[in-house]
Amino acid sequence: MIIQEIQDASAEMWRKSLPHISIDSVVFGFHDNSLKVLLLKMKNEDNWILPGGYVNKDESIDDAAKRILFERSGADKIFLNNFGVFGDLNRSEGYFESYPDDLWHKQRFITIGYYALVDYTQVTPVADNFSDKCEWIPVDKLPNMVMDHAVILQKALSTLREHISYKPIGYNLLPKTFTMPELQSLYETILGQKLNRGNFYRKMMRYNILIKLDEPRKGGAHKAPNLYRFDEQNYEIAINEFRF
């Protein structure tokens, strides 16, 4: 661990942040038919962490989550979903065992978990002062993670899978125009299972969230598939009202 940088940050945290509350974010992106998560690699270590941080005394928890995500990953203007609270004993204190007991980071923290679905192409990962990498990692090839961050990530993934069963997703994970097979591939990747093509099409059309474009996708030897885009207004309605 980077002792001096963490100790310097500790003094600043005692001055400006709320004690015993932290935030960790699980940011999902979809690329090359793979669901990926944004992780940071700690300096001088092989350990990885979720983008996380602390709540300033003069800001709301939601505002803190947005600020922390931007500071630690470069991801900006992203809608975050609160999905859980994590407060097991010694969930983070043990990681800082070799530090003095008055270190801010060594205190007991209850963390609030957020997850976000983002357009992979619109995020440029940026490492922070405590990390030497910020990268997209496939969820089926996760590296070693510190503290309880692997547990938080898996809870976010299971929550996403629960949500996908009764709410539409895809608006922030796919490009502006896409085909029905691409949308189905997204669902299958998240759920980890194959879906019946006809049933999937009917369920998507029930939401009334897709606009079929006049021009099919060009190129390829076979019949070009139809292109769709999301109806933003109906998408918001469906998120709040529709259920499979």
Side-chain angles (χ1 to χ4, degrees):
M1 286 184 276
I2 16 179
I3 296 177
Q4 190 58 54
E5 290 182 6
I6 288 180
Q7 290 179 331
D8 291 344
S10 173
E12 179 73 2
M13 292 300 100
W14 280 112
R15 183 184 66 80
K16 73 176 186 180
S17 300
L18 294 176
H20 306 301
I21 300 176
S22 61
I23 289 175
D24 287 297
S25 297
V26 183
V27 183
F28 293 112
F30 185 68
H31 183 66
D32 287 340
N33 289 322
S34 174
L35 185 67
K36 301 184 179 184
V37 64
L38 199 61
L39 298 179
L40 295 109
K41 180 181 175 297
M42 299 295 289
K43 283 184 178 178
N44 306 320
E45 294 186 31
D46 293 327
N47 297 316
W48 295 70
I49 62 171
L50 295 167
Y54 305 98
V55 182
N56 290 337
K57 295 175 181 178
D58 60 353
E59 66 183 345
S60 71
I61 291 175
D62 286 348
D63 286 342
K66 295 173 184 176
R67 171 186 57 78
I68 290 166
L69 183 59
F70 176 72
E71 290 176 351
R72 303 214 64 179
S73 70
D76 192 17
K77 298 178 181 178
I78 290 175
F79 180 76
L80 293 163
N81 302 273
N82 184 324
F83 71 90
V85 177
F86 303 83
D88 285 353
L89 289 172
N90 200 36
R91 57 165 298 273
S92 58
E93 299 95 304
Y95 181 66
F96 299 96
E97 184 177 8
S98 61
Y99 286 83
D101 289 342
D102 63 350
L103 183 82
W104 171 269
H105 309 73
K106 194 174 181 178
Q107 310 310 301
R108 184 182 179 188
F109 282 94
I110 295 171
T111 197
I112 302 170
Y114 285 81
Y115 84 77
L117 308 176
V118 306
D119 182 348
Y120 176 96
T121 65
Q122 298 301 310
V123 174
T124 302
V126 178
D128 65 7
N129 293 334
F130 306 101
S131 311
D132 57 21
K133 290 182 181 180
C134 182
E135 297 180 357
W136 290 104
I137 307 294
V139 295
D140 58 352
K141 297 179 181 178
L142 294 175
N144 184 60
M145 302 182 69
V146 303
M147 298 179 269
D148 58 352
H149 285 202
V151 173
I152 296 172
L153 196 162
Q154 289 304 319
K155 176 61 176 178
L157 184 57
S158 64
T159 302
L160 174 59
R161 286 170 173 163
E162 291 173 6
H163 287 175
I164 202 176
S165 68
Y166 63 87
K167 290 185 178 182
I169 66 159
Y171 180 71
N172 293 323
L173 291 173
L174 293 172
K176 289 185 178 180
T177 63
F178 51 87
T179 66
M180 190 63 71
E182 288 171 340
L183 180 59
Q184 182 170 338
S185 175
L186 169 63
Y187 272 70
E188 290 176 339
T189 299
I190 293 174
L191 292 171
Q193 65 184 59
K194 289 291 184 181
L195 301 173
N196 179 274
R197 181 179 177 182
N199 289 342
F200 179 80
Y201 176 83
R202 286 188 289 272
K203 287 177 180 179
M204 289 298 104
M205 300 314 292
R206 275 176 50 197
Y207 284 139
N208 192 32
I209 59 173
L210 299 178
I211 297 175
K212 184 177 179 181
L213 304 182
D214 293 334
E215 292 291 331
R217 175 168 292 169
K218 297 179 180 179
H222 303 285
K223 181 181 177 181
N226 293 312
L227 282 174
Y228 295 84
R229 67 174 175 83
F230 287 112
D231 183 313
E232 295 183 30
Q233 183 175 356
N234 285 354
Y235 187 93
E236 290 299 321
I237 294 173
I239 285 178
N240 294 309
E241 295 183 0
F242 279 74
R243 190 180 185 92
F244 273 137

